[in-house]
Amino acid sequence: MVFLPDESRSLPPPPIVNKASVWLGLTGWVAALLDNGFSQRPVIRAGVHRQILFTTVGWFVGYYLAKRTEYVHAKLDRELFEYVKQHPEDFKTAGW
């Protein structure tokens, strides 16, 4: 899979409630409200099923973006630690 490689399965999953999920879920809900407003329907009462759908889709996209972000950061950390391990002369510890 291009979005999340198989090696990302070794990482612990991000929490269900994270910043990306909350923001994109809220964005999905606001998008449904704006669609109601632009279509001249009652903003909150019309299309509740669409509001739930947009919120859910936003939440899951945010979850997978958080998962992707954690994978990219873990991969970068692994590469940096490997570099430090291969070049110890460049990273001497300060001896007090």
Side-chain angles (χ1 to χ4, degrees):
M1 184 176 185
V2 175
F3 188 67
L4 280 172
D6 289 336
E7 62 186 15
S8 69
R9 293 180 190 216
S10 64
L11 295 173
I16 295 294
V17 178
N18 59 54
K19 191 188 310 186
S21 293
V22 171
W23 276 109
L24 288 177
L26 182 64
T27 302
W29 181 63
V30 169
L33 294 180
L34 286 173
D35 181 49
N36 284 343
F38 289 137
S39 300
Q40 298 198 359
R41 294 186 293 251
V43 176
I44 294 195
R45 291 182 294 144
V48 175
H49 61 285
R50 246 183 300 111
Q51 293 177 30
I52 294 170
L53 175 68
F54 285 19
T55 303
T56 304
V57 168
W59 193 275
F60 282 112
V61 168
Y63 177 78
Y64 281 103
L65 282 176
K67 198 170 187 176
R68 169 81 176 160
T69 301
E70 287 185 8
Y71 164 71
V72 168
H73 289 157
K75 182 178 173 187
L76 181 63
D77 286 348
R78 184 184 67 217
E79 291 170 356
L80 287 174
F81 284 132
E82 187 65 30
Y83 181 81
V84 169
K85 193 186 306 181
Q86 289 176 358
H87 301 88
E89 66 278 358
D90 294 338
F91 302 96
K92 296 180 181 173
T93 57
W96 290 99

